[in-house]
Amino acid sequence: MEVNNDGSPPQPEGPKTSPEPSKPTSPEHELTSSSTSSPPPKPPRPTSPEHKLNHSSTSSPPSEPPIPASPESELASSSTSSPLPEPPRHTPPRPDLASSSNTAPPEGCDQNDWVISIKERLDQFSQLDKEVWSRYSIFRAPSNLRKMEPEAYTPQFISIGPFHRGDPNLRLMESHKWRFLRRSLDRTGQDLDVYIGTISPHVAETRGCYAQIFARISNQEFLEMMLLDSCFILELLIGVAEGRRNDDPLFVVRAVLLEIRRDMLLLENQIPFFILEKLFPHIAGSDFKDYSLSQLALFFFNWTVPGSITKSWAHDRVNEKVLHFLHLIRQRLIPLQYKRPPPPPPPPPPPPSSLTSKPRLNFIDTYKHKHLRMRCVSMLVDSGVKFSKRKSSRLTDIEFNFKRGILEIPPLVVNDSTKSIFLNLMAFEQCHPKCSDAISSYVVFMDGLINTPGDVAHLQQRGIINYHLGSEKAVAQLFNDLCRDISIDYIYGSHVFTLCLKLNDYVSLKCPTLKASLRREHFRHPWSYISFGAAVLIIVLTLTQAVYAILAYHVHHS
């Protein structure tokens, strides 16, 4: 509170220039309505500094004690007497909003401004169009998956794209990116302006593919990053296709290529595929004019993907849009006809008589969903199910022959990169709105089949699993770790869910279970069948001898 030189409080100021809405109980009105003959003024109450500056600008003698002010209102009101620009938001008080709100604002904040700020923030969120988030194709890994395996989503050798740009642990490969750019220009004879002119018109479109706004990266820095990463990737693919082995250190050490392949299939380490396609004709030249970028990429990742790459991979789905390398691998792991089921048609409009009726909840029959049982390999074998390797390179192309009781599963190669690839594929399916849960449902299904090392051994004997992890226990642990934070709900409505229902129906039959029990307990070895055949033959001969003896007896006495 301000005081005079003699220590006495100053006299109250004159009336305000802009009257506030009348409130009978407000202390401000008591102060403004007080006269010179009134008793001594009440103790001053802190209010907005806007009043203080407005009162100080008038020429009337002070009649009220000055009220302490906040810095924001002081700046707002000082604009009338100074050339400073007006604040971006200045809205007059709205008593109707303040009186109609039952929620108290935060302490020290005016209720009118508080409600207005909330409405402005709501207007900002209402501007988020569906087309904006539908363009996202490269995401941060969900926190529920990252907390389980943070190393599986973090590059260990090279950074591609803006998510891990500037990581001090990945700076070693930055010099190789510049070296590969120099090599590409020397090999093709192209000018740098050609590369830059090809990418620069698509900077905004490229930024829109990432589900994050990188405000600290300017467009020029973003263009430089895309140029270096794209040229490095294309030069790497071409070098592997040409069989370079001795002219570059990245091709000599095999472990380096394995680490680069793994990092290039991480969800957070992707760049849009269309940028690579724009530069590919300029960098590939005439030597690879008969090959597509997808063919070179599939050849590069041949030893990394969990499925088996065949020649048909390079020729099918040529018309499908590819978002990035991880999406390309996913397309080749699921069948051609595997697509997200179309949404149900909209319900017909209700009759006029039901417009005033209360809404009803239509519960579906979820008994089979809640009581779905996933049986492991050993349980299915005991129930008469036989396993067979399916001649298909699509991991999710699983079929069950109910009449013969044969479950056909495509072969799976398990190596050091399998876990990371599956986790990033599942993360991509969780983030992308137009992506089905094909890989997630496959992983859940395999986790249900594999519970023990014995299950892995049985699948390996049938040629379904080929692992390079050292032991069957490690393979079983891998699938158990993949589904630690994945719910069984991912298989509902998918092809795998139908398979589980068929398997449960087959297991419930008595005849296949009895046959399997006989084979398991009495016919484990080939000698068991020979012994059984000899026993049957002896019984038949004994019965035949008895029949002839009886017939001979009757003939003799007749």
Side-chain angles (χ1 to χ4, degrees):
M1 183 180 69
E2 299 182 4
V3 295
N4 296 331
N5 295 331
D6 56 353
S8 60
Q11 296 298 325
E13 296 181 354
K16 302 178 182 180
T17 58
S18 59
E20 297 289 332
S22 60
K23 295 183 180 180
T25 58
S26 174
E28 298 178 2
H29 297 283
E30 295 181 8
L31 291 176
T32 54
S33 60
S34 61
S35 61
T36 56
S37 61
S38 60
K42 296 182 181 180
R45 178 186 176 185
T47 55
S48 172
E50 187 176 341
H51 300 80
K52 176 181 176 181
L53 293 177
N54 289 337
H55 297 337
S56 62
S57 61
T58 59
S59 60
S60 59
S63 59
E64 282 189 2
I67 303 173
S70 61
E72 298 177 359
S73 301
E74 187 174 351
L75 290 175
S77 59
S78 62
S79 61
T80 57
S81 59
S82 62
L84 294 177
E86 187 177 357
R89 289 190 305 170
H90 182 73
T91 308
R94 298 179 60 183
D96 53 338
L97 292 177
S99 59
S100 62
S101 176
N102 296 327
T103 305
E107 185 177 356
C109 178
D110 184 69
Q111 188 168 4
N112 295 326
D113 297 338
W114 178 58
V115 174
I116 293 173
S117 64
I118 291 179
K119 290 193 172 184
E120 290 179 354
R121 293 189 64 182
L122 290 176
D123 293 339
Q124 295 176 0
F125 281 96
S126 64
Q127 296 174 359
L128 294 178
D129 194 0
K130 180 180 179 181
E131 297 181 357
V132 175
W133 57 262
S134 64
R135 291 196 298 265
Y136 294 155
S137 60
I138 306 174
F139 311 86
R140 285 276 190 187
S143 58
N144 63 324
L145 297 179
R146 172 175 281 278
K147 68 181 180 181
M148 306 301 295
E149 293 286 344
E151 296 84 6
Y153 307 97
T154 305
Q156 306 295 326
F157 202 80
I158 185 173
S159 171
I160 302 294
F163 279 117
H164 297 276
R165 179 177 179 268
D167 190 340
N169 299 325
L170 308 175
R171 289 178 180 175
L172 179 63
M173 290 298 299
E174 295 301 316
S175 60
H176 290 284
K177 293 180 181 179
W178 287 99
R179 188 168 58 84
F180 272 47
L181 176 59
R182 179 74 268 173
R183 167 182 286 188
S184 177
L185 294 174
D186 296 340
R187 182 178 56 83
T188 60
Q190 295 279 356
D191 190 76
L192 181 62
D193 295 336
V194 176
Y195 291 177
I196 296 177
T198 304
I199 301 179
S200 57
H202 306 281
V203 172
E205 184 181 0
T206 305
R207 281 180 175 269
C209 295
Y210 293 90
Q212 181 175 331
I213 300 176
F214 301 95
R216 297 185 178 181
I217 304 178
S218 64
N219 286 338
Q220 184 177 359
E221 295 174 342
F222 198 89
L223 176 61
E224 177 184 315
M225 177 187 63
M226 288 291 107
L227 175 65
L228 290 175
D229 292 346
S230 301
C231 291
F232 174 82
I233 291 174
L234 293 176
E235 194 69 20
L236 184 66
L237 299 183
I238 293 174
V240 173
E242 289 179 345
R244 301 176 189 173
R245 289 294 180 267
N246 301 321
D247 60 343
D248 196 278
L250 295 184
F251 298 102
V252 173
V253 184
R254 184 176 178 83
V256 174
L257 277 180
L258 292 177
E259 291 294 333
I260 293 178
R261 287 189 180 100
R262 174 197 170 276
D263 288 349
M264 288 175 61
L265 290 180
L266 302 182
L267 177 60
E268 300 178 1
N269 223 31
Q270 301 294 321
I271 61 174
F273 196 80
F274 74 89
I275 288 293
L276 299 175
E277 288 183 319
K278 299 287 184 183
L279 279 175
F280 182 70
H282 302 285
I283 296 180
S286 59
D287 295 338
F288 293 92
K289 62 181 181 179
D290 297 332
Y291 297 93
S292 65
L293 178 59
S294 299
Q295 292 174 336
L296 291 183
L298 292 174
F299 180 80
F300 179 77
F301 294 112
N302 184 20
W303 297 98
T304 307
V305 295
S308 57
I309 295 182
T310 60
K311 293 183 179 180
S312 62
W313 276 35
H315 301 285
D316 57 8
R317 294 187 170 186
V318 292
N319 297 325
E320 289 192 10
K321 181 180 179 180
V322 178
L323 303 177
H324 40 71
F325 283 149
L326 186 66
H327 183 235
L328 175 67
I329 297 302
R330 182 187 177 275
Q331 284 184 336
R332 289 345 190 244
L333 293 179
I334 62 178
L336 297 176
Q337 69 275 11
Y338 197 107
K339 297 181 180 180
R340 181 184 291 273
S353 60
S354 62
L355 293 177
T356 58
S357 60
K358 296 182 179 180
R360 296 181 179 181
L361 300 178
N362 297 324
F363 289 96
I364 61 174
D365 184 13
T366 59
Y367 179 82
K368 291 184 178 180
H369 295 69
K370 294 181 179 180
H371 297 271
L372 180 65
R373 185 178 180 183
M374 301 284 293
R375 289 176 169 85
C376 62
V377 172
S378 57
M379 296 179 63
L380 292 176
V381 171
D382 294 343
S383 302
V385 178
K386 296 178 287 292
F387 289 84
S388 175
K389 181 178 71 173
R390 185 175 179 84
K391 295 181 180 180
S392 175
S393 60
R394 316 287 177 173
L395 289 183
T396 58
D397 191 12
I398 307 174
E399 294 295 337
F400 178 64
N401 191 326
F402 193 88
K403 294 182 178 180
R404 302 173 57 189
I406 299 177
L407 181 62
E408 298 179 351
I409 303 177
L412 171 66
V413 180
V414 181
N415 50 37
D416 295 333
S417 303
T418 302
K419 185 176 184 180
S420 174
I421 294 176
F422 274 137
L423 287 175
N424 283 271
L425 287 172
M426 291 189 294
F428 175 67
E429 290 182 348
Q430 288 191 20
C431 297
H432 200 277
K434 298 181 180 180
C435 194
S436 63
D437 299 325
I439 300 298
S440 300
S441 60
Y442 170 80
V443 173
V444 172
F445 179 75
M446 294 300 295
D447 177 62
L449 291 180
I450 300 174
N451 284 343
T452 62
D455 298 333
V456 179
H458 187 84
L459 295 178
Q460 186 190 23
Q461 292 175 1
R462 298 297 183 270
I464 297 175
I465 288 184
N466 184 17
Y467 62 87
H468 305 285
L469 294 182
S471 65
E472 298 160 353
K473 182 179 180 181
V475 179
Q477 186 64 36
L478 182 144
F479 280 97
N480 294 334
D481 292 342
L482 286 175
C483 294
R484 278 191 298 176
D485 204 39
I486 298 295
S487 173
I488 197 176
D489 296 341
Y490 282 98
I491 70 173
Y492 293 155
S494 64
H495 173 63
V496 173
F497 178 72
T498 307
L499 285 176
C500 293
L501 295 180
K502 290 182 178 179
L503 288 172
N504 290 340
D505 294 339
Y506 185 84
V507 170
S508 62
L509 300 177
K510 299 298 181 181
C511 185
T513 304
L514 180 60
K515 292 180 180 179
S517 178
L518 290 175
R519 287 195 303 265
R520 181 177 64 256
E521 297 180 3
H522 304 286
F523 299 98
R524 292 185 178 181
H525 307 287
W527 290 104
S528 302
Y529 292 93
I530 297 176
S531 302
F532 178 75
V536 171
L537 180 61
I538 292 174
I539 293 174
V540 171
L541 293 177
T542 304
L543 292 177
T544 304
Q545 183 181 7
V547 170
Y548 276 101
I550 295 173
L551 291 177
Y553 176 79
H554 285 286
V555 170
H556 178 71
H557 287 78
S558 62

